[in-house]
Amino acid sequence: MFNDKIEMVLLDMDGTLLNSQSEVSPKNKEILKQLISKGYKVAIATGRNYHEARSVVKDIAGLAYITNNGSHITDFNGEIIFNRTIGQEDTISLLKIIESYPSLNYSLAAPEEIYMKSKLKFIKMVLSHKGVFKNKLNLFKSFALIKRLIRLFNSRKTSDNIYEVLKNSSLAVQKIDVMGKIDEMESFKKRIVESFGEKFKLSSSSKDNLEINPLNISKGTGLVYLADKLGIDVKNCIAFGDGGNDLELFDIVGTSVAMSNSEFSELKKKADIIAESNDDDGVAKILTRLLVVKA
């Protein structure tokens, strides 16, 4: 049910605030700027790391960031107020299990950098997932997606020996993102639980990925921490999302909005409101209607 005392807006990025070209539409951008100018608090809540999230919305001033699924939080002044990592030994143990599955690819996300096992495999997986190889996207969208992937390719790092990097650097791994075939992903998830019990927080932003965070870390815990710092009741917050990693956020927030393009039926069932898709300015349309700002 909608709470008319909204003080803070939380926004997932991919599939929610961002369209299929991984951009913030002019309408979405204008609405967020209006809300901030009127005194509303607006926070990004994403599985992306801080560097990538900030770079996509850099021309929107005054945002807070809950990134790496809640492992890293910065306030509205850009100050780090929360930071949690996966230990080095645990990271190495997890990577050895991942590497036993031929189809799985992984990335290690720190606040400012990301290491990947294979950039080429990652790009192939994303293109296949988005439907480029199946002609589901038109030519313009395909080129826009490829352009984005080239930026990711250039910004992410690889190493011939990631174990040496982990042992000899200060890389602060906050999230391990694993992508691959859905059947192998299910097997992998079961093996993680069998090997480590409930030592890690497991979530998914899409059907073909698994996101591994430190225990008791989620977008939901990130909301609670940020709201407490601001003296805001979580019931006076509205959150938008489309993925499995938004489920706990929806359990906590006062008003939850799922995108119509979401693949997660459970998320839609939890939601108070279903918005139009991320390609139809769903975020802007709901905020315009509920918070009485200009479209």
Side-chain angles (χ1 to χ4, degrees), residues 212-242:
I212 305 171
N213 282 94
L215 186 63
N216 298 324
I217 292 295
S218 69
K219 292 184 184 182
T221 61
L223 163 61
V224 171
Y225 192 88
L226 181 59
D228 183 63
K229 288 289 183 181
L230 296 170
I232 294 176
D233 188 330
V234 293
K235 299 305 178 186
N236 294 339
C237 299
I238 182 171
F240 292 74
D242 77 307

PDB file of all heavy atoms in Angstrom, residues 212-242:
ATOM      1  N   ILE A 212      27.280 -13.565  -4.801  1.00  0.00           N
ATOM      2  CA  ILE A 212      27.744 -14.002  -3.489  1.00  0.00           C
ATOM      3  C   ILE A 212      28.265 -12.791  -2.725  1.00  0.00           C
ATOM      4  O   ILE A 212      29.202 -12.117  -3.161  1.00  0.00           O
ATOM      5  CB  ILE A 212      28.857 -15.056  -3.621  1.00  0.00           C
ATOM      6  CG1 ILE A 212      28.374 -16.235  -4.481  1.00  0.00           C
ATOM      7  CG2 ILE A 212      29.305 -15.535  -2.245  1.00  0.00           C
ATOM      8  CD1 ILE A 212      29.481 -17.215  -4.839  1.00  0.00           C
ATOM      9  N   ASN A 213      27.660 -12.530  -1.577  1.00  0.00           N
ATOM     10  CA  ASN A 213      28.057 -11.411  -0.718  1.00  0.00           C
ATOM     11  C   ASN A 213      28.381 -11.917   0.676  1.00  0.00           C
ATOM     12  O   ASN A 213      28.048 -13.052   1.022  1.00  0.00           O
ATOM     13  CB  ASN A 213      26.924 -10.391  -0.615  1.00  0.00           C
ATOM     14  CG  ASN A 213      26.805  -9.492  -1.827  1.00  0.00           C
ATOM     15  OD1 ASN A 213      26.035  -9.769  -2.749  1.00  0.00           O
ATOM     16  ND2 ASN A 213      27.564  -8.417  -1.841  1.00  0.00           N
ATOM     17  N   PRO A 214      29.003 -11.081   1.502  1.00  0.00           N
ATOM     18  CA  PRO A 214      29.187 -11.473   2.905  1.00  0.00           C
ATOM     19  C   PRO A 214      27.836 -11.755   3.557  1.00  0.00           C
ATOM     20  O   PRO A 214      26.800 -11.241   3.132  1.00  0.00           O
ATOM     21  CB  PRO A 214      29.848 -10.230   3.526  1.00  0.00           C
ATOM     22  CG  PRO A 214      30.506  -9.532   2.386  1.00  0.00           C
ATOM     23  CD  PRO A 214      29.603  -9.768   1.212  1.00  0.00           C
ATOM     24  N   LEU A 215      27.849 -12.556   4.598  1.00  0.00           N
ATOM     25  CA  LEU A 215      26.629 -12.914   5.305  1.00  0.00           C
ATOM     26  C   LEU A 215      25.925 -11.664   5.838  1.00  0.00           C
ATOM     27  O   LEU A 215      26.563 -10.694   6.250  1.00  0.00           O
ATOM     28  CB  LEU A 215      26.964 -13.856   6.466  1.00  0.00           C
ATOM     29  CG  LEU A 215      25.772 -14.442   7.234  1.00  0.00           C
ATOM     30  CD1 LEU A 215      24.923 -15.318   6.330  1.00  0.00           C
ATOM     31  CD2 LEU A 215      26.264 -15.234   8.436  1.00  0.00           C
ATOM     32  N   ASN A 216      24.603 -11.701   5.827  1.00  0.00           N
ATOM     33  CA  ASN A 216      23.768 -10.617   6.348  1.00  0.00           C
ATOM     34  C   ASN A 216      23.936  -9.306   5.591  1.00  0.00           C
ATOM     35  O   ASN A 216      23.750  -8.216   6.151  1.00  0.00           O
ATOM     36  CB  ASN A 216      24.031 -10.390   7.847  1.00  0.00           C
ATOM     37  CG  ASN A 216      23.685 -11.594   8.690  1.00  0.00           C
ATOM     38  OD1 ASN A 216      22.725 -12.305   8.401  1.00  0.00           O
ATOM     39  ND2 ASN A 216      24.468 -11.856   9.716  1.00  0.00           N
ATOM     40  N   ILE A 217      24.285  -9.409   4.316  1.00  0.00           N
ATOM     41  CA  ILE A 217      24.397  -8.227   3.460  1.00  0.00           C
ATOM     42  C   ILE A 217      23.370  -8.343   2.341  1.00  0.00           C
ATOM     43  O   ILE A 217      23.256  -9.370   1.686  1.00  0.00           O
ATOM     44  CB  ILE A 217      25.808  -8.107   2.854  1.00  0.00           C
ATOM     45  CG1 ILE A 217      26.829  -7.785   3.929  1.00  0.00           C
ATOM     46  CG2 ILE A 217      25.843  -7.063   1.746  1.00  0.00           C
ATOM     47  CD1 ILE A 217      26.641  -6.438   4.596  1.00  0.00           C
ATOM     48  N   SER A 218      22.614  -7.285   2.132  1.00  0.00           N
ATOM     49  CA  SER A 218      21.637  -7.235   1.044  1.00  0.00           C
ATOM     50  C   SER A 218      21.269  -5.780   0.806  1.00  0.00           C
ATOM     51  O   SER A 218      21.644  -4.883   1.581  1.00  0.00           O
ATOM     52  CB  SER A 218      20.382  -8.039   1.387  1.00  0.00           C
ATOM     53  OG  SER A 218      19.642  -7.401   2.418  1.00  0.00           O
ATOM     54  N   LYS A 219      20.524  -5.538  -0.246  1.00  0.00           N
ATOM     55  CA  LYS A 219      20.016  -4.176  -0.457  1.00  0.00           C
ATOM     56  C   LYS A 219      19.110  -3.772   0.700  1.00  0.00           C
ATOM     57  O   LYS A 219      19.046  -2.597   1.085  1.00  0.00           O
ATOM     58  CB  LYS A 219      19.240  -4.102  -1.765  1.00  0.00           C
ATOM     59  CG  LYS A 219      20.087  -4.268  -3.015  1.00  0.00           C
ATOM     60  CD  LYS A 219      19.234  -4.093  -4.266  1.00  0.00           C
ATOM     61  CE  LYS A 219      20.016  -4.351  -5.535  1.00  0.00           C
ATOM     62  NZ  LYS A 219      19.188  -4.128  -6.744  1.00  0.00           N
ATOM     63  N   GLY A 220      18.410  -4.752   1.269  1.00  0.00           N
ATOM     64  CA  GLY A 220      17.535  -4.471   2.403  1.00  0.00           C
ATOM     65  C   GLY A 220      18.303  -3.989   3.616  1.00  0.00           C
ATOM     66  O   GLY A 220      17.917  -2.999   4.259  1.00  0.00           O
ATOM     67  N   THR A 221      19.404  -4.665   3.956  1.00  0.00           N
ATOM     68  CA  THR A 221      20.205  -4.218   5.099  1.00  0.00           C
ATOM     69  C   THR A 221      20.837  -2.863   4.802  1.00  0.00           C
ATOM     70  O   THR A 221      21.024  -2.046   5.703  1.00  0.00           O
ATOM     71  CB  THR A 221      21.310  -5.236   5.451  1.00  0.00           C
ATOM     72  OG1 THR A 221      22.204  -5.394   4.340  1.00  0.00           O
ATOM     73  CG2 THR A 221      20.721  -6.583   5.819  1.00  0.00           C
ATOM     74  N   GLY A 222      21.159  -2.635   3.517  1.00  0.00           N
ATOM     75  CA  GLY A 222      21.700  -1.337   3.122  1.00  0.00           C
ATOM     76  C   GLY A 222      20.697  -0.223   3.349  1.00  0.00           C
ATOM     77  O   GLY A 222      21.041   0.863   3.842  1.00  0.00           O
ATOM     78  N   LEU A 223      19.429  -0.486   3.002  1.00  0.00           N
ATOM     79  CA  LEU A 223      18.373   0.497   3.248  1.00  0.00           C
ATOM     80  C   LEU A 223      18.256   0.798   4.736  1.00  0.00           C
ATOM     81  O   LEU A 223      18.182   1.966   5.138  1.00  0.00           O
ATOM     82  CB  LEU A 223      17.042  -0.026   2.711  1.00  0.00           C
ATOM     83  CG  LEU A 223      15.778   0.674   3.238  1.00  0.00           C
ATOM     84  CD1 LEU A 223      15.768   2.149   2.867  1.00  0.00           C
ATOM     85  CD2 LEU A 223      14.519  -0.020   2.738  1.00  0.00           C
ATOM     86  N   VAL A 224      18.217  -0.247   5.564  1.00  0.00           N
ATOM     87  CA  VAL A 224      18.065  -0.057   7.008  1.00  0.00           C
ATOM     88  C   VAL A 224      19.201   0.797   7.557  1.00  0.00           C
ATOM     89  O   VAL A 224      18.986   1.726   8.348  1.00  0.00           O
ATOM     90  CB  VAL A 224      18.015  -1.421   7.734  1.00  0.00           C
ATOM     91  CG1 VAL A 224      18.081  -1.225   9.248  1.00  0.00           C
ATOM     92  CG2 VAL A 224      16.747  -2.177   7.362  1.00  0.00           C
ATOM     93  N   TYR A 225      20.428   0.505   7.117  1.00  0.00           N
ATOM     94  CA  TYR A 225      21.598   1.243   7.612  1.00  0.00           C
ATOM     95  C   TYR A 225      21.524   2.710   7.198  1.00  0.00           C
ATOM     96  O   TYR A 225      21.727   3.615   8.018  1.00  0.00           O
ATOM     97  CB  TYR A 225      22.875   0.606   7.072  1.00  0.00           C
ATOM     98  CG  TYR A 225      24.132   1.100   7.740  1.00  0.00           C
ATOM     99  CD1 TYR A 225      24.614   0.482   8.891  1.00  0.00           C
ATOM    100  CD2 TYR A 225      24.827   2.205   7.243  1.00  0.00           C
ATOM    101  CE1 TYR A 225      25.760   0.944   9.519  1.00  0.00           C
ATOM    102  CE2 TYR A 225      25.964   2.674   7.870  1.00  0.00           C
ATOM    103  CZ  TYR A 225      26.427   2.038   9.007  1.00  0.00           C
ATOM    104  OH  TYR A 225      27.556   2.502   9.635  1.00  0.00           O
ATOM    105  N   LEU A 226      21.241   2.964   5.911  1.00  0.00           N
ATOM    106  CA  LEU A 226      21.194   4.340   5.416  1.00  0.00           C
ATOM    107  C   LEU A 226      20.041   5.111   6.054  1.00  0.00           C
ATOM    108  O   LEU A 226      20.212   6.272   6.473  1.00  0.00           O
ATOM    109  CB  LEU A 226      21.049   4.343   3.895  1.00  0.00           C
ATOM    110  CG  LEU A 226      21.007   5.714   3.203  1.00  0.00           C
ATOM    111  CD1 LEU A 226      22.273   6.504   3.485  1.00  0.00           C
ATOM    112  CD2 LEU A 226      20.812   5.537   1.702  1.00  0.00           C
ATOM    113  N   ALA A 227      18.875   4.496   6.141  1.00  0.00           N
ATOM    114  CA  ALA A 227      17.716   5.168   6.727  1.00  0.00           C
ATOM    115  C   ALA A 227      17.967   5.514   8.192  1.00  0.00           C
ATOM    116  O   ALA A 227      17.588   6.604   8.665  1.00  0.00           O
ATOM    117  CB  ALA A 227      16.480   4.284   6.599  1.00  0.00           C
ATOM    118  N   ASP A 228      18.614   4.603   8.917  1.00  0.00           N
ATOM    119  CA  ASP A 228      18.925   4.854  10.323  1.00  0.00           C
ATOM    120  C   ASP A 228      19.860   6.048  10.471  1.00  0.00           C
ATOM    121  O   ASP A 228      19.683   6.884  11.365  1.00  0.00           O
ATOM    122  CB  ASP A 228      19.550   3.601  10.945  1.00  0.00           C
ATOM    123  CG  ASP A 228      19.837   3.777  12.423  1.00  0.00           C
ATOM    124  OD1 ASP A 228      18.871   3.967  13.190  1.00  0.00           O
ATOM    125  OD2 ASP A 228      21.019   3.743  12.810  1.00  0.00           O
ATOM    126  N   LYS A 229      20.849   6.137   9.592  1.00  0.00           N
ATOM    127  CA  LYS A 229      21.794   7.258   9.622  1.00  0.00           C
ATOM    128  C   LYS A 229      21.082   8.585   9.376  1.00  0.00           C
ATOM    129  O   LYS A 229      21.473   9.631   9.898  1.00  0.00           O
ATOM    130  CB  LYS A 229      22.884   7.065   8.572  1.00  0.00           C
ATOM    131  CG  LYS A 229      23.890   5.981   8.893  1.00  0.00           C
ATOM    132  CD  LYS A 229      24.802   6.402  10.032  1.00  0.00           C
ATOM    133  CE  LYS A 229      25.868   5.358  10.317  1.00  0.00           C
ATOM    134  NZ  LYS A 229      26.737   5.753  11.455  1.00  0.00           N
ATOM    135  N   LEU A 230      20.029   8.553   8.568  1.00  0.00           N
ATOM    136  CA  LEU A 230      19.302   9.769   8.206  1.00  0.00           C
ATOM    137  C   LEU A 230      18.144  10.071   9.144  1.00  0.00           C
ATOM    138  O   LEU A 230      17.539  11.146   9.065  1.00  0.00           O
ATOM    139  CB  LEU A 230      18.761   9.643   6.782  1.00  0.00           C
ATOM    140  CG  LEU A 230      19.786   9.520   5.664  1.00  0.00           C
ATOM    141  CD1 LEU A 230      19.097   9.154   4.346  1.00  0.00           C
ATOM    142  CD2 LEU A 230      20.578  10.810   5.510  1.00  0.00           C
ATOM    143  N   GLY A 231      17.820   9.108  10.012  1.00  0.00           N
ATOM    144  CA  GLY A 231      16.673   9.283  10.890  1.00  0.00           C
ATOM    145  C   GLY A 231      15.357   9.158  10.161  1.00  0.00           C
ATOM    146  O   GLY A 231      14.351   9.782  10.531  1.00  0.00           O
ATOM    147  N   ILE A 232      15.331   8.329   9.100  1.00  0.00           N
ATOM    148  CA  ILE A 232      14.133   8.120   8.290  1.00  0.00           C
ATOM    149  C   ILE A 232      13.560   6.742   8.590  1.00  0.00           C
ATOM    150  O   ILE A 232      14.297   5.744   8.633  1.00  0.00           O
ATOM    151  CB  ILE A 232      14.461   8.236   6.782  1.00  0.00           C
ATOM    152  CG1 ILE A 232      14.868   9.669   6.438  1.00  0.00           C
ATOM    153  CG2 ILE A 232      13.278   7.796   5.924  1.00  0.00           C
ATOM    154  CD1 ILE A 232      15.307   9.841   4.987  1.00  0.00           C
ATOM    155  N   ASP A 233      12.272   6.660   8.771  1.00  0.00           N
ATOM    156  CA  ASP A 233      11.591   5.380   8.950  1.00  0.00           C
ATOM    157  C   ASP A 233      11.578   4.657   7.599  1.00  0.00           C
ATOM    158  O   ASP A 233      11.200   5.257   6.583  1.00  0.00           O
ATOM    159  CB  ASP A 233      10.163   5.630   9.433  1.00  0.00           C
ATOM    160  CG  ASP A 233       9.438   4.349   9.844  1.00  0.00           C
ATOM    161  OD1 ASP A 233       9.735   3.274   9.283  1.00  0.00           O
ATOM    162  OD2 ASP A 233       8.542   4.434  10.708  1.00  0.00           O
ATOM    163  N   VAL A 234      11.968   3.377   7.579  1.00  0.00           N
ATOM    164  CA  VAL A 234      11.994   2.631   6.314  1.00  0.00           C
ATOM    165  C   VAL A 234      10.602   2.556   5.689  1.00  0.00           C
ATOM    166  O   VAL A 234      10.473   2.372   4.472  1.00  0.00           O
ATOM    167  CB  VAL A 234      12.560   1.205   6.498  1.00  0.00           C
ATOM    168  CG1 VAL A 234      14.031   1.259   6.865  1.00  0.00           C
ATOM    169  CG2 VAL A 234      11.765   0.417   7.527  1.00  0.00           C
ATOM    170  N   LYS A 235       9.565   2.706   6.507  1.00  0.00           N
ATOM    171  CA  LYS A 235       8.206   2.684   5.969  1.00  0.00           C
ATOM    172  C   LYS A 235       7.905   3.940   5.155  1.00  0.00           C
ATOM    173  O   LYS A 235       6.927   3.985   4.410  1.00  0.00           O
ATOM    174  CB  LYS A 235       7.185   2.526   7.096  1.00  0.00           C
ATOM    175  CG  LYS A 235       7.338   1.232   7.887  1.00  0.00           C
ATOM    176  CD  LYS A 235       7.303   0.004   6.969  1.00  0.00           C
ATOM    177  CE  LYS A 235       7.514  -1.291   7.734  1.00  0.00           C
ATOM    178  NZ  LYS A 235       7.618  -2.470   6.823  1.00  0.00           N
ATOM    179  N   ASN A 236       8.749   4.946   5.301  1.00  0.00           N
ATOM    180  CA  ASN A 236       8.580   6.182   4.534  1.00  0.00           C
ATOM    181  C   ASN A 236       9.511   6.206   3.325  1.00  0.00           C
ATOM    182  O   ASN A 236       9.914   7.273   2.858  1.00  0.00           O
ATOM    183  CB  ASN A 236       8.847   7.404   5.408  1.00  0.00           C
ATOM    184  CG  ASN A 236       7.812   7.566   6.509  1.00  0.00           C
ATOM    185  OD1 ASN A 236       6.705   7.034   6.410  1.00  0.00           O
ATOM    186  ND2 ASN A 236       8.163   8.276   7.559  1.00  0.00           N
ATOM    187  N   CYS A 237       9.818   5.003   2.830  1.00  0.00           N
ATOM    188  CA  CYS A 237      10.678   4.874   1.653  1.00  0.00           C
ATOM    189  C   CYS A 237       9.940   4.093   0.564  1.00  0.00           C
ATOM    190  O   CYS A 237       9.095   3.248   0.862  1.00  0.00           O
ATOM    191  CB  CYS A 237      11.974   4.140   1.993  1.00  0.00           C
ATOM    192  SG  CYS A 237      12.991   4.972   3.254  1.00  0.00           S
ATOM    193  N   ILE A 238      10.267   4.380  -0.683  1.00  0.00           N
ATOM    194  CA  ILE A 238       9.723   3.644  -1.817  1.00  0.00           C
ATOM    195  C   ILE A 238      10.893   3.078  -2.614  1.00  0.00           C
ATOM    196  O   ILE A 238      11.901   3.764  -2.826  1.00  0.00           O
ATOM    197  CB  ILE A 238       8.830   4.544  -2.701  1.00  0.00           C
ATOM    198  CG1 ILE A 238       8.221   3.738  -3.859  1.00  0.00           C
ATOM    199  CG2 ILE A 238       9.581   5.767  -3.214  1.00  0.00           C
ATOM    200  CD1 ILE A 238       7.155   4.512  -4.644  1.00  0.00           C
ATOM    201  N   ALA A 239      10.789   1.811  -3.003  1.00  0.00           N
ATOM    202  CA  ALA A 239      11.885   1.143  -3.711  1.00  0.00           C
ATOM    203  C   ALA A 239      11.394   0.544  -5.016  1.00  0.00           C
ATOM    204  O   ALA A 239      10.308  -0.029  -5.082  1.00  0.00           O
ATOM    205  CB  ALA A 239      12.493   0.051  -2.835  1.00  0.00           C
ATOM    206  N   PHE A 240      12.233   0.666  -6.047  1.00  0.00           N
ATOM    207  CA  PHE A 240      11.953   0.116  -7.370  1.00  0.00           C
ATOM    208  C   PHE A 240      12.975  -0.983  -7.672  1.00  0.00           C
ATOM    209  O   PHE A 240      14.178  -0.795  -7.442  1.00  0.00           O
ATOM    210  CB  PHE A 240      12.088   1.198  -8.444  1.00  0.00           C
ATOM    211  CG  PHE A 240      11.051   2.273  -8.397  1.00  0.00           C
ATOM    212  CD1 PHE A 240      11.080   3.252  -7.406  1.00  0.00           C
ATOM    213  CD2 PHE A 240      10.047   2.327  -9.352  1.00  0.00           C
ATOM    214  CE1 PHE A 240      10.126   4.269  -7.371  1.00  0.00           C
ATOM    215  CE2 PHE A 240       9.084   3.335  -9.326  1.00  0.00           C
ATOM    216  CZ  PHE A 240       9.131   4.308  -8.335  1.00  0.00           C
ATOM    217  N   GLY A 241      12.523  -2.110  -8.245  1.00  0.00           N
ATOM    218  CA  GLY A 241      13.453  -3.168  -8.594  1.00  0.00           C
ATOM    219  C   GLY A 241      12.863  -4.160  -9.578  1.00  0.00           C
ATOM    220  O   GLY A 241      11.665  -4.134  -9.866  1.00  0.00           O
ATOM    221  N   ASP A 242      13.734  -5.040 -10.089  1.00  0.00           N
ATOM    222  CA  ASP A 242      13.261  -6.057 -11.031  1.00  0.00           C
ATOM    223  C   ASP A 242      13.897  -7.419 -10.808  1.00  0.00           C
ATOM    224  O   ASP A 242      13.534  -8.385 -11.469  1.00  0.00           O
ATOM    225  CB  ASP A 242      13.541  -5.618 -12.474  1.00  0.00           C
ATOM    226  CG  ASP A 242      14.997  -5.809 -12.865  1.00  0.00           C
ATOM    227  OD1 ASP A 242      15.880  -5.315 -12.135  1.00  0.00           O
ATOM    228  OD2 ASP A 242      15.277  -6.479 -13.888  1.00  0.00           O
TER     229      ASP A 242
END
